[in-house]
Amino acid sequence: MKYGRGVIRIRRMTYLIFGLCDESFSINCSTEVPEGVDKGWFYLFVTLLNQLYWVAGATLGGLLGSFITFNTEGLDFVMTAMFVVIFLEQWLKEKKHYTALIGVLASAGCLLSFGADSFLIPTMVCILCFLTVFRKPIEKAGGIS
């Protein structure tokens, strides 16, 4: 069956939405796509490889995890460190910091309002609302690269 470019593009975009994770987002936002390389295909293969690595690692971890034991004390900072690095990469890449400030202020406000155990979902809703409402002014000011 022969597909047109539009159908392939839609399928590629659908997979990119499905396969989106922190790592793919971070790589795709911080990497300059080489000249002459199609961005869509670049993003697709970054996402596909990240998913394959994740599945392979989780499978190996599940199979070998009961045989290999080590002390994981002190590793609880890893996720926090990863998100700090992603935040700093975005901060350095953007000309204006509107989106980062919306994220930080919404997080801080929801943390104070809802407490540490219940702030994540309200924070995501606030960020989504603010970015939706202020999308045009942020784009016009060059706040999203």
Side-chain angles (χ1 to χ4, degrees):
M1 179 181 278
K2 188 173 183 180
Y3 292 110
R5 295 175 91 189
V7 173
I8 292 172
R9 185 171 182 259
I10 289 170
R11 288 184 177 203
R12 186 174 60 203
M13 287 173 50
T14 302
Y15 178 72
L16 287 171
I17 292 167
F18 167 77
L20 182 65
C21 65
D22 302 331
E23 294 80 7
S24 297
F25 176 81
S26 178
I27 291 169
N28 287 336
C29 284
S30 62
T31 302
E32 293 292 328
V33 179
E35 195 171 317
V37 174
D38 182 84
K39 283 185 179 184
W41 288 110
F42 181 86
Y43 297 151
L44 176 88
F45 283 109
V46 166
T47 303
L48 178 64
L49 289 171
N50 274 333
Q51 186 177 20
L52 291 174
Y53 298 151
W54 185 87
V55 169
T59 302
L60 282 173
L63 295 172
L64 301 176
S66 60
F67 300 114
I68 303 170
T69 59
F70 63 95
N71 184 3
T72 60
E73 187 177 332
L75 290 179
D76 50 346
F77 73 93
V78 172
M79 289 300 287
T80 303
M82 182 184 72
F83 284 112
V84 168
V85 170
I86 291 170
F87 175 80
L88 290 174
E89 284 289 327
Q90 285 299 107
W91 183 271
L92 294 172
K93 188 175 180 181
E94 288 185 349
K95 297 174 193 120
K96 309 263 187 210
H97 304 294
Y98 301 130
T99 55
L101 292 173
I102 286 172
V104 168
L105 294 174
S107 298
C110 288
L111 180 62
L112 292 173
S113 299
F114 298 102
D117 293 334
S118 307
F119 84 103
L120 190 58
I121 292 175
T123 298
M124 294 296 111
V125 171
C126 285
I127 291 171
L128 177 65
C129 290
F130 280 118
L131 291 178
T132 301
V133 169
F134 295 111
R135 178 181 178 180
K136 296 287 184 191
I138 291 171
E139 287 178 346
K140 186 177 179 183
I144 298 176
S145 48

